[in-house]
Amino acid sequence: MNYEEALEYIHNTLRFGSKPGLERVALLLEKMGNPHKSLKFVHVAGTSGKGSTAAMLAACLEAAGYKTGLYISPFVERFNERIQINHQNISDDDLAELTSEVKEIIDTIQTDDPPTEFTIITALAMLHFFRKQVDIVVLEVGLGGRYDATNIIDFPEVAVITPLSLDHTEFLGSTVDKIAYEKGGIIKQGCDVVISSGQPEEGMEVLLSIAKEKKAVVHLANESDIETISMDLLGSEVVYKGCSYYVSLLGAHQIQNALTALTVIEILNGKGYSINSEAASTGLRDVKWNGRLEIISQKPLVLLDGAHNRAKISALISSVDSLLKEKRLVVAMGMSADKEYGFAVEELASRSDKFYALRANTHRALPAEKIAEVAQMHCKSVFLHDSMEEALTVALGELGDDDCLVVCGSLYLLGDAKKIILKTLVM
């Protein structure tokens, strides 16, 4: 099996199983020798910020000298981003070899509820991290928590819950308390759990109730412990408990995520890890995270952001209002049809000098015509082109020195958009 065949096999499996539960991943990992039982984890769930927080933690652990696995979803540019060791993506050859091995095991399993796509990817990651003998894995939940395949782990070094809000309501429930119940499912009996600041009251109540039932040790990321000294398009300077840090990821929400990461680091240090302030500073300064207020060009100024739910759109708006207030805003936006696109388009279009409607290359994408229809109610200059490439090429060609192009919405469009933009800028 080569790399392309491996991806085809993974993507052709069911996205969701016929019933919720951990039986599929438990059976598959058992057939593989339970590689996850030899690994240590920081387990990260939440609605917003879980990916950024996971990336920060992995960068800090690596800077402290630990061989660190990072498991994330989804990816922006290449599938291999989902499985990393010391910020290096899994190689094409390793992915192909592991997928072939896992497929052979799956073919021996007699069941009417076969492993799903995410189950297979999770199993691949566990086997890869085990084979490469990582010291610790920062494990991002895919969807929810309680029945997510990553929750097959026995006991995390730390469980982390980042801010909760409504998303994936068709699977997790239509209220924040129901979503909190699902996300809080990663809290294990007696474990340490860090709960980020900014939690809605009803979500916090549920999380604290679960922690009490499980006799977990709760650590609240306290906003009074961190002070923002400066924040601009280069990053943010903060002081946390007397130590200065530079957070390279942009926006006030990333300061909140850095606070969560620093809280986790304190707990890990209490468990025998050695992550000093210098290593944490290096990690927060050097961390990279695709598609989260990512600047891909300075002249002209172009940012990518995968804001796709109400909370993430609100964070993007806050960043636009504070970091780009001296710029004319040009927005190119595409959304998935199952997201709260009306709110998202209105908030961005109403702030835009020009608005370009896009369609992501996915079956879930909302038609660009529908996005344009909503945007026209809030922006005088809305443009609809035959393709994303045409729209972005035109937008780039008309950017002035005082303009900023923000490409945002579905994570599924950002990888293609980035390739188009970088290709256009070098022509």
Side-chain angles (χ1 to χ4, degrees):
M1 181 180 287
N2 60 30
Y3 176 71
E4 289 74 20
E5 291 168 339
L7 290 186
E8 183 179 6
Y9 172 74
I10 292 168
H11 293 322
N12 282 341
T13 54
L14 293 173
R15 186 172 180 219
F16 301 110
S18 59
K19 57 185 178 181
L22 300 176
E23 291 80 6
R24 287 180 297 269
V25 68
L27 178 59
L28 178 55
L29 287 170
E30 183 182 2
K31 296 280 188 181
M32 294 164 55
N34 287 321
H36 61 297
K37 291 185 178 293
S38 299
L39 299 169
K40 297 182 183 298
F41 299 94
V42 174
H43 202 189
V44 186
T47 307
S48 298
K50 60 187 172 79
S52 297
T53 302
M56 289 178 182
L57 283 167
C60 293
L61 283 160
E62 180 189 348
Y66 293 97
K67 188 173 185 180
T68 307
L70 176 63
Y71 181 57
I72 62 170
S73 62
F75 64 94
V76 173
E77 295 181 65
R78 295 197 80 220
F79 177 88
N80 306 48
E81 295 169 27
R82 300 187 67 167
I83 304 171
Q84 304 177 28
I85 297 177
N86 285 0
H87 76 268
Q88 295 296 312
N89 299 341
I90 186 173
S91 70
D92 292 358
D93 289 343
D94 281 346
L95 183 66
E97 181 179 338
L98 289 173
T99 304
S100 179
E101 187 174 335
V102 171
K103 179 183 181 300
E104 289 183 9
I105 295 171
I106 291 173
D107 288 344
T108 68
I109 298 175
Q110 301 296 320
T111 177
D112 57 358
D113 192 21
T116 63
E117 178 180 5
F118 189 73
T119 295
I120 292 172
I121 300 168
T122 302
L124 289 170
M126 296 296 186
L127 190 56
H128 183 61
F129 295 142
F130 171 72
R131 295 263 176 89
K132 297 297 183 180
Q133 297 183 308
V134 301
D135 297 314
I136 190 168
V137 176
V138 182
L139 190 68
E140 181 191 355
V141 168
L143 179 65
R146 187 162 59 107
Y147 290 135
D148 188 81
T150 63
N151 206 29
I152 194 63
I153 67 172
D154 293 327
F155 190 88
E157 300 291 277
V158 186
V160 184
I161 311 290
T162 65
L164 304 177
S165 62
L166 297 179
D167 199 10
H168 300 293
T169 54
E170 67 273 34
F171 302 108
L172 304 179
S174 58
T175 61
V176 171
D177 58 333
K178 290 180 179 178
I179 289 173
Y181 174 71
E182 296 299 329
K183 305 283 187 182
I186 73 165
I187 300 173
K188 300 294 197 299
Q189 191 75 28
C191 79
D192 286 277
V193 56
V194 169
I195 301 178
S196 296
S197 63
Q199 298 290 356
E201 184 177 347
E202 61 271 38
M204 180 65 85
E205 288 179 0
V206 172
L207 294 176
L208 292 178
S209 175
I210 294 171
K212 182 178 180 180
E213 178 187 343
K214 296 288 184 67
K215 294 182 172 56
V217 181
V218 175
H219 308 262
L220 301 180
N222 192 341
E223 289 186 355
S224 65
D225 288 335
I226 197 164
E227 178 186 2
T228 301
I229 305 301
S230 65
M231 183 174 66
D232 55 30
L233 284 172
L234 297 176
S236 302
E237 183 183 353
V238 302
V239 174
Y240 175 76
K241 295 187 176 181
C243 294
S244 295
Y245 299 91
Y246 196 81
V247 182
S248 63
L249 301 185
L250 305 182
H253 58 293
Q254 297 294 5
I255 296 175
Q256 181 184 59
N257 294 332
L259 169 62
T260 303
L262 290 168
T263 306
V264 173
I265 286 168
E266 287 186 333
I267 298 168
L268 290 174
N269 283 335
K271 291 174 175 287
Y273 291 82
S274 180
I275 311 156
N276 60 27
S277 59
E278 183 179 352
S281 178
T282 298
L284 294 178
R285 184 195 66 213
D286 293 348
V287 63
K288 301 290 189 298
W289 195 228
N290 290 345
R292 279 71 170 184
L293 273 180
E294 177 189 6
I295 297 177
I296 62 170
S297 170
Q298 292 282 357
K299 292 186 177 181
L301 184 59
V302 182
L303 284 78
L304 302 182
D305 193 81
H308 59 269
N309 60 36
R310 182 176 284 265
K312 291 178 180 178
I313 288 292
S314 296
L316 173 59
I317 291 303
S318 175
S319 298
V320 165
D321 290 347
S322 61
L323 300 178
L324 302 175
K325 56 188 176 184
E326 305 298 329
K327 297 287 185 179
R328 283 195 301 264
L329 188 64
V330 179
V331 170
M333 189 173 195
M335 295 286 292
S336 293
D338 58 348
K339 299 299 179 182
E340 199 174 351
Y341 64 85
F343 169 80
V345 175
E346 176 182 348
E347 290 294 315
L348 271 300
S350 64
R351 289 167 166 79
S352 302
D353 185 67
K354 296 178 182 179
F355 188 99
Y356 293 82
L358 308 177
R359 179 187 174 95
N361 183 24
T362 170
H363 68 281
R364 296 169 54 200
L366 187 70
E369 292 81 4
K370 184 63 178 177
I371 293 175
E373 179 184 323
V374 177
Q376 285 166 353
M377 294 187 284
H378 308 283
C379 178
K380 293 180 179 179
S381 301
V382 177
F383 304 93
L384 190 63
H385 291 271
D386 290 337
S387 67
M388 185 193 305
E389 183 169 7
E390 181 181 313
L392 292 175
T393 301
V394 171
L396 287 167
E398 296 182 353
L399 283 183
D401 291 341
D402 295 326
D403 295 333
C404 175
L405 173 61
V406 176
V407 183
C408 59
S410 172
L411 283 167
Y412 292 103
L413 70 79
L414 295 189
D416 291 335
K418 187 173 184 178
K419 291 175 186 176
I420 293 167
I421 291 167
L422 294 179
K423 176 183 174 183
T424 303
L425 290 177
V426 300
M427 291 177 63

